[in-house]
Amino acid sequence: MKDNVAANLGKFQDPRITAKGEPRAHVALNDPQTLWFNTGTLCNIECANCYILSSPTNDDLVYLTADEVTGYLDQLEQRDWGVKEIGFTGGEPFMNPDMLDMTQRALERGYEVLILTNAMLPMMRKRVRAGLSALQATYGDKLTLRISLDHWSATHHDTERGAGSFEKTLTGMRWLRDTGIRMAVAGRSVWGETEQDARAGYAALFGREGLTIDAYNPGETVIFPEMDLAVEVPEITTACWDILGKAPTDVMCASSRMVVKRKGAKQPTVLACTLLAYDPQFELGHSLEDAEQPVSLNHPHCAKFCVLGGASCSA
């Protein structure tokens, strides 16, 4: 990812005030809906602009275990957060050997489960397909796989993810379709087309492939704004909520947290959101109780992706 020093020189330095001396906006954990688990940053591919720098060699975030996930599910009940959804992201989650076990442990407690995947080889291994089929047979639409399909065309998708990746992902999606596993899609807005044109392109693709994904429903086809740190963005002050006609409850960190395990760490830690895995100021502690503290919007992603872009990683 690109350096933000030049574009946002002097900004995002003090968690309390902006570069102009105005009070910086904070967001309280108001209504927890999703607890995310990063299953590890290892991935079967290396994308051109991965926000978390996942690759076949990056193990900065190591594999979580099923027992570690269970510990946080226990905490959810103890803290009475009222979470409805458990999300798994990576890296590529299906590279984690405990992925199916983690999924089942969340589903059997009654949570909806969302897994972000590229639907390529790690998901298509025989053991994984058998496990997903069994989970679907038991839990049905409580399980959703959100497929990273950066664009509706092979040309743009493969530019980001490598030659031939579009067809490999479609192969995985066809298997999910035939198995009856619920799908959503995550795209990107990097190619300069209008949202209307992008959604029309996805709709045509889904129609050709017989995929029951609504291209015009933002909950089923998410088109994320780009997180380019080289672009100048405004800092979000407490006055911005009224100016923008938004509320702190609209921002992702009002309703979610993410658990990660750093290489060499003895235990996992809880982060403010899914986007800022490497910035220490967004590390809130080891427990969910620690993570109940408010979050200062002291990063360009807070402004561009969440507040101004209106994006959320949850379903």
Side-chain angles (χ1 to χ4, degrees):
M1 297 184 67
K2 298 176 182 177
D3 191 356
N4 70 320
V5 173
N8 294 290
L9 187 64
K11 297 181 180 179
F12 305 104
Q13 302 298 311
D14 190 319
R16 299 164 302 168
I17 59 172
T18 69
K20 294 181 179 180
E22 299 169 296
R24 186 179 304 283
H26 293 71
V27 172
L29 184 64
N30 175 268
D31 183 22
Q33 293 295 307
T34 304
L35 181 62
W36 286 93
F37 293 93
N38 187 296
T39 62
T41 39
L42 286 173
C43 187
N44 55 304
I45 58 174
E46 185 171 5
C47 298
N49 292 288
C50 178
Y51 78 97
I52 204 167
L53 304 177
S54 298
S55 76
T57 59
N58 180 12
D59 61 350
D60 287 343
L61 302 182
V62 297
Y63 288 152
L64 285 173
T65 68
D67 286 345
E68 287 168 337
V69 168
T70 292
Y72 284 96
L73 297 180
D74 290 341
Q75 289 184 51
L76 279 178
E77 296 176 3
Q78 294 160 8
R79 302 302 299 170
D80 194 25
W81 275 19
V83 157
K84 297 180 175 63
E85 176 187 62
I86 301 298
F88 293 100
T89 184
E92 169 51 50
F94 289 110
M95 290 184 68
N96 185 314
D98 281 4
M99 188 64 244
L100 292 171
D101 195 2
M102 292 187 287
T103 303
Q104 180 164 346
R105 293 189 190 198
L107 286 167
E108 65 189 9
R109 295 205 188 195
Y111 295 108
E112 296 180 11
V113 170
L114 177 65
I115 304 175
L116 311 191
T117 177
N118 57 38
M120 295 172 75
L121 181 60
M123 189 198 78
M124 290 297 284
R125 288 172 294 167
K126 184 177 181 180
R127 178 186 70 85
V128 176
R129 284 186 285 129
L132 286 173
S133 295
L135 289 171
Q136 194 281 330
T138 302
Y139 299 102
D141 284 352
K142 297 284 282 188
L143 173 65
T144 301
L145 271 60
R146 181 187 288 166
I147 314 303
S148 298
L149 196 66
D150 288 332
H151 196 258
W152 48 267
S153 73
T155 299
H156 287 326
H157 180 89
D158 286 0
T159 298
E160 176 67 24
R161 294 181 178 259
S165 61
F166 184 80
E167 185 57 34
K168 291 176 183 177
T169 291
L170 279 186
T171 297
M173 294 179 73
R174 291 166 187 144
W175 178 80
L176 291 167
R177 174 200 65 197
D178 295 343
T179 308
I181 295 175
R182 187 172 183 236
M183 280 182 282
V185 158
R188 302 177 67 169
S189 60
V190 68
W191 293 281
E193 65 188 345
T194 66
E195 181 175 340
Q196 182 179 4
D197 287 345
R199 293 192 181 281
Y202 280 113
L205 173 65
F206 299 160
R208 290 195 301 271
E209 294 290 338
L211 302 171
T212 55
I213 305 170
D214 186 349
Y216 296 97
N217 181 344
E220 294 187 33
T221 303
V222 188
I223 301 178
F224 286 120
E226 287 304 297
M227 295 180 289
D228 186 351
L229 290 174
V231 175
E232 183 179 5
V233 294
E235 296 182 281
I236 304 301
T237 70
T238 54
C240 287
W241 302 122
D242 288 337
I243 294 170
L244 297 171
K246 293 191 174 185
T249 52
D250 296 334
V251 184
M252 186 164 53
C253 52
S255 60
S256 67
R257 293 290 187 264
M258 182 170 77
V259 177
V260 306
K261 190 173 184 181
R262 303 196 187 284
K263 183 164 58 177
K266 293 182 179 180
Q267 59 184 317
T269 191
V270 188
L271 306 183
C273 80
T274 60
L275 307 177
L276 300 166
Y278 303 121
D279 192 327
Q281 69 178 314
F282 294 97
E283 188 167 318
L284 304 177
H286 297 296
S287 70
L288 295 188
E289 183 178 8
D290 295 334
E292 290 171 355
Q293 60 187 285
V295 176
S296 173
L297 301 186
N298 193 33
H299 194 280
H301 291 347
C302 302
K304 187 173 189 294
F305 188 86
C306 292
V307 177
L308 301 176
S312 173
C313 292
S314 300

